[in-house]
Amino acid sequence: MRDQAQALRDLMSGRHTAAAQMEPAPPSLPAESAARILAVTSGKGGVGKSNFSLNFALALQARGKRVLVFDADIGLANIDVLLGDHPPYNLYHLLNRERTMEEIIREHSSGVSFIAGGSGFRELLDLSPEELDSFAAQIETLSTRYDYILFDTGAGLSKETLKFILAAEETILVTTPEPTSLTDAYAILKMVAGMDRTVTYRLVVNRVSYPKEGQATADNFRMAAERFLSLDIPLLGFIPDDPYVSKAVRKQTPFLAAFPTCPASRSIRELADQMDAGAPKPQDRESGMARFVKKMVNLLRQ
Ligand SMILES: Nc1ncnc2c1ncn2[C@@H]1O[C@H](COP(=O)(O)OP(=O)(O)OP(=O)(O)O)[C@@H](O)[C@H]1O
Ligand SMILES: [Mg+2]
């Protein structure tokens, strides 16, 4: 991968001054700086993935972590709408080598760093081997710059979303207590389990009316996954149904920034604490990013 990264830096240095000034990636990535790669997904649409991703990113940042949100929703760009910020460049421009990774990362005033997907994710499926290698090298440069990278995927199982789930280190499965959301989330588990049983999950129950509802929903879901699919789906936590979420969406600001003491903000901070507390020790695992890139490239080559 080092050769690919070098080749890419050489390529870019001819065209972009910013790229030429980019710090060279270290020859081997120190284990302690390995980014943790999380895919955020759901069965049913509109259950709160994008709001979760943005606010979870901010809550992790408040814990001193460096976080990047990647809008990996093929259908609709979400993150930029939620932030009221439409970056001129997105993944498409990176894949077409018009812009560097540096240039497509947007720092929003709320503190969130994000990459807009645009039409880039569809392009991912049609890359030549050389283009794929350069994409992999670009992605790898993120490893030392972030502690967490969150891929906010589309709902349901598209070919693209599936690749993110299969490649990511962990998948955060978001559901609401509604039966339709739960059955669709279960359908995702079942389909992915049919392909790869090593994928690990964390469950987030969003929009719960009261804590007991969240607990009962999680218990039922986990029991079904255990009983019928032999899968353990640890619970990351609940987020209450909170009118401030919708108010923040209308203000195009993450709720954690607009209403830091609202019930949803309090919960998302707890979820971030929980995630960070459960972080695997760096020496216990292969660099999250290296593993992700290897898997992603293999999946895209198929
Ligand atoms: N905890 C919550 N309390 C109240 N409303 C919520 C909550 N979470 C999400 N919502 C509402 O649900 C809407 C959809 O949320 P969001 O856009 O995050 O969902 P999504 O899963 O990313 O949707 P899509 O599948 O279209 O990408 C929000 O605009 C908000 O009104
Ligand atoms: Mg979304």
Side-chain angles (χ1 to χ4, degrees):
M1 222 28 100
R2 181 152 52 115
D3 292 348
Q4 290 163 8
Q6 189 55 55
L8 193 78
R9 276 194 297 275
D10 292 347
L11 181 78
M12 289 186 302
S13 63
R15 294 169 49 225
H16 297 293
T17 346
Q21 287 164 356
M22 245 167 50
E23 263 183 34
S28 62
L29 299 168
E32 63 275 14
S33 61
R36 225 172 145 189
I37 319 288
L38 311 176
V40 179
T41 199
S42 69
K44 192 169 176 279
V47 298
K49 293 177 297 298
S50 300
N51 273 282
F52 169 82
S53 300
L54 276 183
N55 291 282
F56 193 60
L58 279 179
L60 285 167
Q61 259 170 236
R63 294 181 54 87
K65 302 297 173 190
R66 299 161 303 166
V67 190
L68 178 69
V69 178
F70 227 111
D71 190 346
D73 193 338
I74 312 286
L76 298 159
N78 278 279
I79 296 292
D80 55 349
V81 178
L82 286 177
L83 294 175
D85 183 14
H86 306 284
Y89 307 116
N90 57 44
L91 184 67
Y92 175 87
H93 301 94
L94 177 79
L95 294 178
N96 285 291
R97 301 188 191 189
E98 289 170 34
R99 297 287 147 184
T100 64
M101 187 60 96
E102 296 271 316
E103 290 167 322
I104 67 163
I105 295 176
R106 185 81 157 184
E107 315 282 343
H108 184 249
S109 53
S110 64
V112 177
S113 298
F114 74 104
I115 292 180
S119 54
F121 282 94
R122 191 142 284 149
E123 303 257 315
L124 264 182
L125 300 182
D126 301 316
L127 295 181
S128 68
E130 295 76 38
E131 286 167 335
L132 205 50
D133 282 347
S134 83
F135 170 65
Q138 284 274 18
I139 287 273
E140 275 217 47
T141 63
L142 297 174
S143 184
T144 48
R145 295 170 52 188
Y146 295 98
D147 301 303
Y148 286 90
I149 299 178
L150 302 177
F151 285 96
D152 175 26
T153 75
L157 259 196
S158 66
K159 272 188 297 188
E160 297 86 354
T161 296
L162 183 62
K163 290 183 202 300
F164 283 102
I165 294 176
L166 292 173
E169 204 173 331
E170 264 181 296
T171 291
I172 296 183
L173 189 57
V174 183
T175 181
T176 70
E178 289 181 354
T180 42
S181 170
L182 286 163
T183 49
D184 289 359
Y186 179 83
I188 294 251
L189 280 188
K190 192 171 173 188
M191 210 181 294
V192 176
M195 284 176 257
D196 184 348
R197 295 196 53 85
T198 65
V199 173
T200 56
Y201 302 89
R202 296 285 194 111
L203 182 66
V204 170
V205 186
N206 189 23
R207 308 196 69 166
V208 308
S209 306
Y210 45 93
K212 265 195 182 153
E213 183 189 40
Q215 193 61 53
T217 303
D219 288 348
N220 288 341
F221 188 79
R222 296 189 60 205
M223 217 151 26
E226 174 70 54
R227 181 157 174 211
F228 302 112
L229 302 172
S230 303
L231 286 177
D232 177 31
I233 315 292
L235 175 68
L236 184 60
F238 324 125
I239 305 170
D241 192 60
D242 181 351
Y244 282 104
V245 174
S246 166
K247 280 190 191 146
V249 170
R250 273 176 269 152
K251 280 167 73 105
Q252 293 187 299
T253 310
F255 58 78
L256 200 69
F259 308 108
T261 57
C262 74
S265 292
R266 287 203 293 268
S267 299
I268 208 96
R269 274 194 290 268
E270 281 170 23
L271 266 58
D273 289 350
Q274 170 92 0
M275 189 77 200
D276 219 31
K281 298 224 166 40
Q283 62 267 32
D284 293 347
R285 64 203 184 100
E286 187 183 355
S287 151
M289 185 54 100
R291 180 183 161 281
F292 171 77
V293 168
K294 201 159 60 183
K295 280 189 128 182
M296 194 74 193
V297 166
N298 283 339
L299 288 163
L300 288 169
R301 283 215 168 108
Q302 281 168 17

